[in-house]
Amino acid sequence: MTDQARTAPAAKKLFIKTYGCQMNVYDSQRMAEAMGAEGYVLTEDQADADMVLLNTCHIREKAAEKLYSDLGRLKPLKAAKPDLKIGVAGCVAQAEGAEITRRMPLVDLVVGPQSYHRLPAMTRGEGPNIDTDFPAEDKFDHLPERMATRRAPAAFLTVQEGCDKFCAFCVVPYTRGAEVSRPVDRILSEARSLVARGVRELTLLGQNVNGWHGVGPDGREWGFGRLIRAIAEIEGLDRIRYTTSHPNDMADDLIAAHGDVPQLMPYLHLPVQSGSDRILKAMNRKHTADHYLRLIDRIRAARPDILLTSDFIVGFPGETDQDHADTLRLVEQVGFGTAFSFKYSPRPGTPAYDRPEVEAAVADARLQELQALLTRQQRAVQAEMVGRTLGVLFEKQGREAGQMIGKSDYLHSVFVDAPQGQIGDLVQVRIIESATNSLRGELVG
């Protein structure tokens, strides 16, 4: 062993817990890369960490309470390791700010989702220990290049952040800020870097991703459909997806791309939230049920086999039995492959926060009825996959010997007996069975 090897400091270890959406997954990866430049390596053992970072989400109910509960469980670890750094990032950090350190003095730093490029400096003790500003500079300009290691075959890529829609139930405009679209050249550079390191499928992310309108290399503003076409030209990239979208931003060129771009998968998550025009207006959604249905018709005309998913909020303030029936009718008309449905929960600071709530038992019953209908539709769609041959991208090994697990073109999890299969293989699979939330298939050829 050389003297240099004997004296080299041990790498510091970083543990990150990620709550919530895919954008938080992406942000956690970028924070890990930023801290990598400070000598930190990721660990899956919280007790072994030199720094614990909780990257929070504020969309779901009782998000702040969950954070404080998790921080409480860190007290013994902090007592045993006084030098342990504890940080809170993400949307709860943005919403709670200094309240976090007031309630939990063990927290060393708090950083919002638009300021995490400053995390390394904060860790070094440079500047304030709370940063929830919406800085004028683009955080992506200050983050390091994507790590030069071989990556998983599917990856996320944030292209847009923030939202200007101000739905009455949503905290995103307050925690993520106004809509910002990354420029084309930076998106393409990151995409090429990911593909060069083994990525075959990219999911483009944004709070309102189809509202992206970034500056192109020609100095003009591009639409999202044009961006997808440019990304599809990257050699070695086989699949493109995007989430989450707003019905009002499904432009003609984007709809056409679903039929024209073979790399764009036949899957679209398009939240509607309610089938009642009265409730949609109260939500400030700025579209009607009829507008949504006509939009679905246009999308299916461009890509007849597309699988549609959505989001629903049940029990929004003022919702009646008729409003609920309108939602069920819309679901019946569309036919969703799956959907996320939740009972309304108020968020402080949002326009709907102080409105009278629907009785809990009534909202519960409506949610159960909606979820039963959505489950029936999901099972019918999966049953229709049996006998079809689909593309499947292997992402990990299964529990059984020789088994691989991957995602189909339609984003279903597919289990395949493939003893020679490798992570990253894109293969043709004949679907032979539909399970509760997955499919089973066999290799073709």
Side-chain angles (χ1 to χ4, degrees):
M1 181 182 293
T2 65
D3 290 340
Q4 183 178 5
R6 281 194 294 267
T7 59
K12 294 172 284 187
K13 295 180 181 179
L14 171 65
F15 175 89
I16 302 181
K17 180 175 181 177
T18 305
Y19 307 71
C21 67
Q22 296 101 323
M23 290 196 72
N24 268 16
V25 174
Y26 174 89
D27 287 346
S28 290
Q29 292 171 350
R30 300 311 311 269
M31 284 187 276
E33 291 166 357
M35 294 305 295
E38 299 293 304
Y40 283 85
V41 296
L42 284 174
T43 177
E44 296 183 1
D45 183 359
Q46 182 175 276
D48 194 37
D50 298 289
M51 180 176 182
V52 172
L53 185 62
L54 306 181
N55 188 17
T56 60
C57 176
H58 209 296
I59 295 298
R60 301 291 172 243
E61 187 176 8
K62 299 180 180 177
E65 288 85 343
K66 179 174 177 56
L67 168 66
Y68 291 121
S69 177
D70 286 350
L71 287 171
R73 285 191 284 270
L74 286 173
K75 287 182 178 180
L77 184 60
K78 183 78 168 182
K81 300 175 65 174
D83 292 335
L84 173 71
K85 292 184 182 296
I86 297 178
V88 177
C91 291
V92 177
Q94 186 72 38
E96 294 282 299
E99 177 68 6
I100 294 174
T101 54
R102 188 193 70 79
R103 286 183 58 176
M104 288 290 179
L106 77 165
V107 174
D108 298 288
L109 54 93
V110 177
V111 60
Q114 301 304 329
S115 305
Y116 66 71
H117 58 292
R118 298 173 180 167
L119 184 59
M122 296 173 70
T123 305
R124 295 192 298 267
E126 300 171 7
N129 69 328
I130 300 174
D131 191 340
T132 54
D133 290 339
F134 292 103
E137 75 270 15
D138 185 347
K139 69 184 178 188
F140 296 102
D141 290 345
H142 300 271
L143 291 169
E145 292 293 323
R146 302 308 301 264
M147 294 175 66
T149 56
R150 184 167 179 83
R151 305 186 63 88
F156 297 127
L157 197 169
T158 291
V159 301
Q160 179 272 342
E161 288 193 289
C163 186
D164 295 340
K165 295 293 190 288
F166 288 93
C167 296
F169 53 80
C170 186
V171 298
V172 166
Y174 312 100
T175 58
R176 289 274 183 172
E179 286 187 13
V180 177
S181 297
R182 297 180 67 189
V184 173
D185 57 352
R186 293 175 190 169
I187 294 171
L188 292 179
S189 176
E190 186 172 339
R192 292 189 187 105
S193 176
L194 289 167
V195 172
R197 290 161 188 154
V199 169
R200 303 188 70 173
E201 175 180 307
L202 279 178
T203 299
L204 310 180
L205 298 180
Q207 269 84 28
N208 185 34
V209 69
N210 61 337
W212 177 92
H213 50 278
V215 176
D218 55 2
R220 298 181 180 181
E221 189 175 274
W222 287 23
F224 191 53
R226 187 176 179 184
L227 175 67
I228 285 175
R229 294 171 194 271
I231 292 174
E233 294 177 1
I234 298 174
E235 186 175 354
L237 180 62
D238 298 291
R239 290 173 154 192
I240 301 171
R241 305 184 193 273
Y242 62 91
T243 196
T244 288
S245 302
H246 194 286
N248 291 355
D249 290 312
M250 286 299 299
D252 292 344
D253 183 52
L254 176 57
I255 293 173
H258 278 277
D260 299 340
V261 180
Q263 293 92 336
L264 185 56
M265 293 292 95
Y267 174 95
L268 175 61
H269 184 68
L270 191 62
V272 62
Q273 306 298 358
S274 174
S276 163
D277 288 347
R278 197 177 68 83
I279 294 300
L280 289 170
K281 183 176 181 179
M283 288 178 169
N284 195 36
R285 289 289 290 173
K286 297 186 173 68
H287 64 80
T288 65
D290 182 66
H291 169 261
Y292 187 86
L293 292 170
R294 286 187 284 109
L295 181 60
I296 295 302
D297 288 341
R298 292 171 55 209
I299 294 167
R300 282 179 166 154
R303 185 68 192 257
D305 67 328
I306 197 164
L307 186 147
L308 294 163
T309 71
S310 195
D311 291 344
F312 292 91
I313 294 175
V314 171
F316 188 78
E319 184 187 70
T320 65
D321 288 343
Q322 183 58 55
D323 296 321
H324 176 62
D326 290 343
T327 296
L328 297 177
R329 183 166 55 253
L330 181 141
V331 173
E332 291 277 14
Q333 288 179 264
V334 174
F336 292 100
T338 186
F340 301 99
S341 54
F342 306 94
K343 188 171 65 173
Y344 170 76
S345 59
R347 292 290 179 271
T350 60
Y353 179 64
D354 294 323
R355 298 178 189 175
E357 294 183 47
V358 172
E359 185 180 344
V362 173
D364 286 336
R366 290 175 184 169
L367 181 61
Q368 290 177 19
E369 186 177 17
L370 174 60
Q371 289 181 338
L373 173 57
L374 291 168
T375 298
R376 290 196 298 272
Q377 290 189 345
Q378 176 184 340
R379 289 175 178 171
V381 168
Q382 289 188 192
E384 291 173 357
M385 296 291 169
V386 176
R388 294 182 59 181
T389 297
L390 308 176
V392 174
L393 178 62
F394 288 157
E395 295 184 354
K396 59 183 178 180
Q397 295 178 333
R399 294 181 179 179
E400 300 175 11
Q403 185 184 69
M404 299 296 294
I405 304 173
K407 290 294 194 300
S408 76
D409 305 330
Y410 302 95
L411 206 59
H412 290 121
S413 290
V414 183
F415 292 74
V416 185
D417 290 328
Q420 305 303 316
Q422 299 292 322
I423 293 174
D425 287 350
L426 181 56
V427 298
Q428 293 295 298
V429 173
R430 182 181 297 106
I431 304 303
I432 59 176
E433 182 184 353
S434 173
T436 302
N437 291 302
S438 63
L439 302 171
R440 183 176 292 274
E442 58 184 12
L443 291 174
V444 174

